[in-house]
Amino acid sequence: MALKLVSRSQWGARAYLTPNGATPYSQARRGVKLHYLGTPYSDRPHEQCAAYIRQLQAQHMDGNGWSDIGYSFAVCTHGYVYEGRGLKRRNSANGNTALNEQDYAVLLLVGSTGLTKPTDDQLHGARDAIEYCRKEGPAGDWLGGHRDGFATACPGDAVYAWVKAGAPRPAAQQQEDPMAGLTKKDIFDAVWKTDALAAPKDAADIKTNPNWQPQSILRDVQARVRSLTVTVAAQSAAINTLAAKVGSGVDTKTVVQAVEKAIKDAVIKVDIDITQNQES
Ligand SMILES: [Zn+2]
Ligand SMILES: [Zn+2]
């Protein structure tokens, strides 16, 4: 899953205050600490996520008096990763300067009430953010929550359990897929196996013959086409025989009538066979 990074300009961030907002990390990061909002939160359309991040930044700057949004990154429920202070500038979310120096701070947009469990997309996004911090920060392998080494409930029990389990990607959704678990050979055999049972002839037959396969229908249709071909060929032969007699004493009108009747019979025969085919 590719990182869906939303840059500061993309979410409409205000400029951070200097000099504090520009303070770089003075040491390598041990790892990544996760956070939650700690307030009620309800999920919302992704179109509203950028505005929510702008509001968080305003709270941190205008309410807390910080120089910027406190987090390094923030992850919405749709899996997008918003750039806060980013990879190079020291965050201000982990509780004190030493803790801010120690680990990156990644927020998940989940609340203490309302939406409290991260979505699968969000867990993928958080995992993407962690890997981004490790690769580009760089950050070490350590993972934890705001509550590690600081008295807070953050990041909530759901996020904390996930991050302490190593921040695994969610398992792929179990689809109700009837083809799941079938190999290519299974599918090939199901369609093309030549020793398939006959297709059911009617609704009642489906109950007594539940194991028929698609190949059965193909085989039945093929048999019907072959039978029609034979019938038409026989009638063509009869017409040819009559036609050969023209000029050897047979009345032309009789020949024409015989040909017309043979064609009519052939058409009726085709019609009947097609009808039968549809009924079975
Ligand atoms: Zn926190
Ligand atoms: Zn979103």
Side-chain angles (χ1 to χ4, degrees):
M1 200 153 290
L3 174 73
K4 296 187 283 187
L5 187 67
V6 182
S7 69
R8 290 175 66 89
S9 63
Q10 284 173 325
W11 61 264
R14 283 158 59 181
Y16 53 81
L17 304 180
T18 54
N20 288 350
T23 306
Y25 287 109
S26 62
Q27 60 184 40
R29 270 64 70 210
R30 172 183 65 167
V32 178
K33 264 183 186 171
L34 298 192
H35 296 255
Y36 75 161
L37 290 163
T39 57
Y41 185 74
S42 54
D43 203 6
R44 59 205 66 213
H46 182 61
E47 293 68 40
Q48 297 175 21
C49 290
Y52 196 90
I53 302 294
R54 289 195 297 273
Q55 183 192 318
L56 273 180
Q57 186 191 29
Q59 275 174 28
H60 288 183
M61 294 179 79
D62 305 334
N64 300 6
W66 296 350
S67 54
D68 192 4
I69 188 169
Y71 307 104
S72 307
F73 297 95
V75 186
C76 76
T77 55
H78 315 98
Y80 288 80
V81 178
Y82 293 80
E83 181 189 22
R85 301 211 187 191
L87 294 169
K88 303 302 174 196
R89 290 189 293 121
R90 189 173 71 199
N91 75 79
S92 65
N94 288 341
N96 60 49
T97 301
L99 295 174
N100 296 339
E101 280 282 352
Q102 192 169 43
D103 301 298
Y104 282 115
V106 173
L107 166 75
L108 276 69
L109 288 187
V110 293
S112 49
T113 60
L115 182 81
T116 58
K117 287 185 181 162
T119 67
D120 280 1
D121 284 345
Q122 195 166 26
L123 294 180
H124 278 296
R127 180 75 208 181
D128 292 339
I130 289 165
E131 289 174 1
Y132 184 59
C133 288
R134 285 176 175 176
K135 186 160 177 279
E136 305 292 336
D141 288 342
W142 189 89
L143 288 175
H146 191 179
R147 66 173 70 166
D148 288 315
F150 195 81
T152 173
C154 183
D157 291 342
V159 173
Y160 190 69
W162 177 73
V163 74
K164 291 316 264 186
R169 290 197 182 275
Q173 289 287 321
Q174 289 296 315
Q175 303 284 344
E176 292 287 321
D177 181 0
M179 306 293 265
L182 292 183
T183 65
K184 276 185 180 171
K185 185 179 182 301
D186 291 334
I187 294 167
F188 182 91
D189 285 350
V191 177
W192 296 113
K193 237 170 94 175
T194 52
D195 59 348
L197 297 168
K201 290 181 177 51
D202 51 37
D205 197 23
I206 291 172
K207 287 179 189 133
T208 57
N209 178 21
N211 295 319
W212 65 278
Q213 292 173 315
Q215 160 66 17
S216 306
I217 291 174
L218 292 178
R219 191 180 54 188
D220 289 0
V221 168
Q222 195 179 32
R224 281 208 175 81
V225 168
R226 196 171 289 138
S227 150
L228 281 175
T229 306
V230 168
T231 305
V232 171
Q235 284 162 342
S236 294
I239 291 164
N240 287 340
T241 304
L242 283 169
K245 289 178 181 170
V246 173
S248 61
V250 176
D251 178 18
T252 306
K253 196 180 168 193
T254 308
V255 171
V256 170
Q257 281 173 346
V259 168
E260 283 176 348
K261 182 177 185 304
I263 291 170
K264 203 175 152 199
D265 289 349
V267 169
I268 289 168
K269 172 70 177 160
V270 169
D271 192 42
I272 287 168
D273 273 28
I274 287 173
T275 308
Q276 284 171 346
N277 191 30
Q278 285 169 339
E279 282 171 352
S280 60

